[in-house]
Amino acid sequence: MTTPTLSTTGIHKSFGSHHVLKGITLDAHKGDVISILGASGSGKSTYLRCINLLETPDEGSMQLDGEVLKVRQRKDGRMEAMDRKQVERMRSQLAMVFQSFNLWSHMTVLQNLIEGPMRVQKRPRAECVEEADQLLQRVGLFERRDYYPAHLSGGQQQRVAIARALAMRPQVMLFDEPTSALDPELVGEVLKVMRSLAEEGRTMLVVTHEMGFARNVSNRVVFMHQGVIDVEGAPADVFGTHATERFRQFTSSHQDRAAA
């Protein structure tokens, strides 16, 4: 077995007295597309935020491409990253696509795509613009390169957000319910882009309620319940022979809004 691109071991996270994550261990190898399912409050988004270092786990460890995140305990007992430069370097390789797009509203579509590569990765502007144009062609929005986010539909904004994530040339892409804020008729256009990324071998962790995507595009499915992994495996197993009663109840209450 090859070394995982991303590995988390025993991740715990609490907010006050609320113990959100209770020891999550998960490996993602190159090319894995892992759909993370679970009811609201199960810890899915918190887990992604811990991976992307928007939150620091209280316990556990994380490795990216063999590099271990260095942490230390503060005086109040909480954990924090030891090396800010390491955090910035690792985060640049863990591109996050948020539920609410999180585009910079004062920048055009093109500016949204080139800001990170230029400022964080110190790449030449001309190179960044050329790559951004290629990415916008790919997601079908080249003709909107000079528009501001407010002039785009939700589906268009999310496709720009995906292109912006790709512009950082990440090792792993993290999607936090990327279709849940969209009107039903716009879901398909975003899922189509995500499917194409999976087909080209991108490593992706996707928190989603889109059962069709989880079944048909993922090579692994993780179902979380109250901060732990309830079941994990290939889609055929998780949705079939290895389905737990809790997972069956979950899937029966979530219907696709669009075919993946």
Side-chain angles (χ1 to χ4, degrees):
M1 181 66 73
T2 57
T3 302
T5 299
L6 173 70
S7 179
T8 64
T9 304
I11 299 295
H12 287 256
K13 183 65 181 180
S14 296
F15 297 99
S17 61
H18 184 33
H19 196 176
V20 180
L21 299 178
K22 304 170 184 175
I24 302 295
T25 295
L26 185 66
D27 291 341
H29 292 81
K30 184 174 176 58
D32 274 347
V33 179
I34 303 175
S35 284
I36 303 175
L37 310 177
S40 178
S42 60
K44 310 180 302 295
S45 293
T46 298
Y47 177 57
L48 276 200
R49 290 176 66 83
C50 285
I51 293 175
N52 199 42
L53 309 177
L54 295 171
E55 302 284 355
T56 304
D58 300 323
E59 295 178 40
S61 63
M62 185 181 86
Q63 295 186 51
L64 178 63
D65 198 23
E67 181 179 3
V68 180
L69 175 66
K70 299 173 185 176
V71 295
R72 63 188 171 202
Q73 192 170 36
R74 303 187 315 207
K75 290 180 179 179
D76 63 2
R78 309 289 283 184
M79 303 303 292
E80 67 178 5
M82 289 176 60
D83 183 349
R84 202 67 225 163
K85 289 185 177 179
Q86 183 192 40
V87 169
E88 292 171 0
R89 183 175 64 253
M90 294 178 77
R91 186 179 285 156
S92 73
Q93 293 301 307
L94 294 161
M96 186 98 152
V97 177
F98 296 89
Q99 175 180 340
S100 54
F101 324 133
N102 284 26
L103 298 175
W104 293 301
S105 61
H106 65 290
M107 293 183 180
T108 65
V109 165
L110 178 63
Q111 289 169 336
N112 265 275
L113 264 67
I114 67 176
E115 181 74 4
M118 286 175 55
R119 289 188 177 272
V120 178
Q121 298 175 338
K122 310 300 182 186
R123 287 160 52 194
R125 188 181 193 281
E127 175 188 298
C128 295
V129 169
E130 181 180 2
E131 188 166 329
D133 283 346
Q134 292 171 356
L135 291 169
L136 290 172
Q137 290 274 17
R138 174 171 182 175
V139 300
L141 289 169
F142 176 74
E143 73 283 359
R144 299 286 197 273
R145 71 199 292 272
D146 296 321
Y147 283 48
Y148 287 89
H151 300 138
L152 303 177
S153 71
Q156 289 172 332
Q157 289 188 61
Q158 194 61 293
R159 282 186 282 154
V160 171
I162 293 172
R164 181 177 66 175
L166 288 168
M168 295 296 288
R169 300 175 179 174
Q171 292 194 55
V172 180
M173 296 191 72
L174 308 172
F175 293 83
D176 188 9
E177 301 197 27
T179 60
S180 63
L182 301 178
D183 292 332
E185 66 271 17
L186 302 177
V187 170
E189 65 187 52
V190 173
L191 292 179
K192 182 179 178 181
V193 172
M194 293 173 63
R195 179 191 281 271
S196 74
L197 296 177
E199 289 172 348
E200 73 176 33
R202 292 276 178 180
T203 307
M204 301 161 60
L205 272 66
V206 185
V207 168
T208 184
H209 287 299
E210 302 292 343
M211 297 299 125
F213 182 91
R215 278 195 200 95
N216 303 322
V217 181
S218 310
N219 68 313
R220 285 167 62 203
V221 173
V222 171
F223 175 60
M224 290 180 62
H225 176 71
Q226 295 184 357
V228 300
I229 293 177
D230 183 67
V231 63
E232 173 189 357
D237 293 333
V238 174
F239 282 94
T241 54
H242 295 171
T244 63
E245 182 57 34
R246 189 177 286 123
F247 183 68
R248 289 192 185 95
Q249 292 173 1
F250 171 78
T251 54
S252 68
S253 65
H254 287 82
Q255 299 298 321
D256 279 353
R257 295 179 300 169

